[in-house]
Amino acid sequence: MKVLLTGVAGFIGMHCAQRLLERGDEVVGIDNFSPYYAVELKQARLARLEGRQGFRFSRVDIADSSSLKKIFESEKPDAVLHLAAQTWKRCFARTLRYSRWTWRETPTSPGIEVNPMAPAVTEANRSATKYP
């Protein structure tokens, strides 16, 4: 079976890829090497997979639909194991910097609240946000 595995350079992704390869599957791994987590760790994990029979890697961001479409068209995977992700809290907190909402966490409950002092989201400050 040919498996497209997103987030292949992550901890779980790399171990899943190893297991799939061990059982004889082909693995088409993709990862964007976001600096959200240590890139050196991702490179070391990928190095454990590269050169193994049945493994191919492409540096692709799953948010780039045209690149993702090309992978699907060229590889024609039988299955997808989607493990690409960022933790919700940190990613969400970055989004909130440019909105009227604020992240507030207490010892008993995390939550969001309206921040009337925050500027309204505009295209200018949305495009200035850098998401890793």
Side-chain angles (χ1 to χ4, degrees), residues 106-121:
T106 67
T108 55
S109 66
I112 59 172
E113 62 185 12
V114 174
N115 178 0
M117 302 305 290
V121 177

Side-chain angles (χ1 to χ4, degrees), residues 36-51:
Y36 185 79
Y37 294 111
V39 174
E40 298 79 21
L41 291 174
K42 293 178 183 189
Q43 290 168 336
R45 290 185 198 116
L46 186 61
R48 293 173 66 177
L49 298 170
E50 288 181 320

Side-chain angles (χ1 to χ4, degrees), residues 66-125:
S66 63
S67 294
L68 199 56
K69 182 179 178 182
K70 287 177 189 173
I71 293 284
F72 272 92
E73 289 172 348
S74 66
E75 294 291 347
K76 298 176 179 42
D78 300 306
V80 176
L81 180 53
H82 176 46
L83 299 173
Q86 289 186 333
T87 59
W88 178 83
K89 181 179 171 182
R90 190 184 294 176
C91 185
F92 187 63
R94 288 182 181 171
T95 304
L96 292 175
R97 284 187 298 187
Y98 292 96
S99 71
R100 290 193 169 276
W101 300 91
T102 332
W103 178 261
R104 177 182 54 82
E105 187 168 0
T106 67
T108 55
S109 66
I112 59 172
E113 62 185 12
V114 174
N115 178 0
M117 302 305 290
V121 177
T122 65
E123 196 56 41
N125 63 18

Side-chain angles (χ1 to χ4, degrees), residues 4-9 28-32 57-58 60 62 68 71:
L4 175 67
L5 199 158
T6 68
V8 72
V28 178
I30 63 174
D31 204 293
N32 69 350
F57 174 75
S58 292
V60 172
I62 61 169
L68 199 56
I71 293 284

